[in-house]
Amino acid sequence: MLVNEKSYQTVWMEGSSVFMIEQNLLPFEFKIHECKTYWDTCIAIHDMIVRGAGAIGAAAGFAMAQAFLLSKDKMKAVTIREARQDIENTRPTAKNLFYAVDRVYRAGLISPENAMIEAQKVAVQDAADSKSIGEYGSELIGKKANILTHCNAGWLAFVDYGTALAPIYLAKRQGKDVFVYVDETRPRSQGSKLTAWELYNDGVPHVIIPDNAAAALMSQNKIDMVIVGADRIATNGDVANKIGTLEKAVVAKEFGVPFYVAAPTSTFDKDCATGKEIPIEERSQDEVLYQTGVDANGNTVKIRVASPGSTALNPAFDVTPAKYINGIITEKGIVKAHHKSIKALLGIYEKPYF
Ligand code: MRU
């Protein structure tokens, strides 16, 4: 994606360092963050310098490769297993993280060089899958469409292109008249900070709305469809995504607005039969009690926005049951949120019933 007319990916690896766009500073400052060791990359994932399912997947794969490189002279096999644990402990919900670590770990058992090659393959595949999701998803978008999205499932959340936003970018390039309603997505404001920044840079008409405005807009027929991303998808079609997604899906069903999820097959979890089994990250209450932004002089400020003395609860994701989802846009096509369609997509076949 272009930023100031220069082409960037969200995360990449050169030599033994991992580089990433520092997402905590956006949209006020554009900076590249370097992680010299696997441990630096773990911190970057945990602190959300890099975030979004595909991007943290690629970063985690690179972190695993960094650990293997270090193992050449300084680490023993047992420590490689510990490094894998460290990487897997950074964030619990996005399946892509575990998918990437597993692929690179297996490759690294052959040689550190092999781990590097595999980590690059994971990243290349992430971008290619997102591009393909854009192509399938754009077919769902009419000549004129008002689309609601939640959180950030744009190119910043993947290596490139994005998932929920990829069909929108392509539809605009195809000459369609698209307009995007962007949920601000408290508490970390990925919608108002990241999605809005991406859409603005790409010249896509949009407006930021408060998280609690979607029902009113749907009731006024102002939204034609909803497209969101996913962090993990169970084989029955239940989808874990950023907190607040569930209520958008319920409201969309009430008002007859089609609700789509866009995600690569690397986000599906063959071991989760239903959404109940998906681990949901709980983050620091400070993310709810404080907000970070810039003052009139451009200085970063963190201010308390909640009553002093009160505490907060901060679940980062929720699970939308399959019944609310009209379809899942993947790199292989659009599938129903139903166990039979998903098992066919993933190449899992149920035992014949006698
Ligand atoms: O907590 P984040 O910002 O890493 O959240 C993940 C997400 O980007 C969203 O849930 C998104 O909608 C899923 S698509 C990557």
Side-chain angles (χ1 to χ4, degrees):
M1 193 48 86
L2 294 177
V3 180
N4 300 327
E5 295 179 20
K6 193 174 165 201
S7 175
Y8 283 94
Q9 294 199 322
T10 304
V11 56
W12 67 96
M13 187 166 181
E14 268 172 37
S16 57
S17 280
V18 179
F19 297 88
M20 56 189 65
I21 295 172
E22 210 315 1
Q23 299 198 38
N24 287 326
L25 298 179
L26 288 174
F28 310 111
E29 191 182 339
F30 183 81
K31 198 174 152 190
I32 302 302
H33 179 81
E34 179 177 0
C35 302
K36 292 190 170 153
T37 66
Y38 92 88
W39 188 243
D40 292 342
T41 310
C42 285
I43 292 169
I45 297 170
H46 179 266
D47 292 352
M48 294 175 68
I49 290 169
V50 64
R51 48 142 298 284
I56 65 176
F62 287 142
M64 196 70 251
Q66 283 179 307
F68 274 108
L69 285 182
L70 200 62
S71 76
K72 263 179 157 178
D73 39 25
K74 295 194 185 116
M75 284 174 123
K76 298 194 182 101
V78 61
T79 328
I80 276 292
R81 284 204 293 278
E82 284 168 12
R84 177 180 180 154
Q85 271 301 314
D86 290 338
I87 301 164
E88 291 186 335
N89 285 341
T90 53
R91 295 196 70 189
T93 304
K95 173 65 185 169
N96 303 61
L97 185 151
F98 301 89
Y99 164 86
V101 167
D102 188 57
R103 267 182 65 171
V104 178
Y105 181 82
R106 286 166 195 264
L109 294 178
I110 296 167
S111 71
E113 290 70 27
N114 208 40
M116 286 284 289
I117 292 167
E118 193 66 15
Q120 295 290 1
K121 278 190 192 164
V122 169
V124 168
Q125 185 197 310
D126 183 79
D129 288 351
S130 296
K131 186 164 187 272
S132 187
I133 285 169
E135 284 155 10
Y136 283 114
S138 69
E139 290 170 18
L140 296 168
I141 300 176
K143 281 197 179 124
K144 181 170 169 51
N146 295 311
I147 304 167
L148 176 84
T149 192
H150 189 69
C151 192
N152 173 262
W155 67 271
L156 286 167
F158 290 82
V159 174
D160 208 347
Y161 298 98
T163 52
L165 296 192
I168 296 173
Y169 290 133
L170 187 57
K172 184 189 160 248
R173 278 179 198 122
Q174 291 165 340
K176 293 178 183 170
D177 183 3
V178 284
F179 185 85
V180 186
Y181 288 95
V182 180
D183 284 337
E184 59 177 347
T185 321
R186 291 287 179 96
R188 289 189 68 106
S189 305
Q190 289 96 330
S192 56
K193 287 182 172 169
L194 305 177
T195 298
W197 181 79
E198 278 196 31
L199 294 174
Y200 178 82
N201 284 337
D202 215 73
V204 181
H206 66 280
V207 69
I208 299 164
I209 59 169
D211 282 329
N212 37 15
L217 292 168
M218 287 191 211
S219 75
Q220 295 158 10
N221 295 322
K222 289 195 172 146
I223 294 171
D224 300 313
M225 67 191 299
V226 182
I227 313 181
V228 298
D231 294 276
R232 196 182 292 227
I233 303 177
T235 54
N236 71 341
D238 292 350
V239 168
N241 193 49
K242 181 56 57 191
I243 192 79
T245 304
L246 169 60
E247 58 191 58
K248 306 298 173 267
V250 173
V251 169
K253 192 163 183 98
E254 171 66 22
F255 292 107
V257 177
F259 184 96
Y260 288 97
V261 172
T265 46
S266 48
T267 301
F268 288 73
D269 189 343
K270 289 180 181 178
D271 298 323
C272 277
T274 74
K276 287 200 177 83
E277 290 151 50
I278 299 177
I280 300 295
E281 178 179 17
E282 193 175 321
R283 295 189 60 89
S284 160
Q285 53 176 309
D286 277 8
E287 292 182 352
V288 179
L289 301 174
Y290 296 84
Q291 289 292 311
T292 307
V294 292
D295 66 13
N297 300 317
N299 300 314
T300 301
V301 285
K302 183 176 171 183
I303 55 165
R304 185 162 180 118
V305 292
S307 177
S310 294
T311 56
L313 186 66
N314 187 14
F317 301 93
D318 58 27
V319 174
T320 299
K323 67 177 179 181
Y324 294 110
I325 299 166
N326 291 72
I328 305 177
I329 310 162
T330 77
E331 78 279 13
K332 295 180 179 168
I334 301 169
V335 294
K336 285 187 189 149
H338 185 272
H339 72 99
K340 283 193 179 153
S341 314
I342 291 173
K343 283 178 178 157
L345 172 81
L346 302 179
I348 314 167
Y349 297 100
E350 298 194 282
K351 274 188 201 156
Y353 179 76
F354 296 106

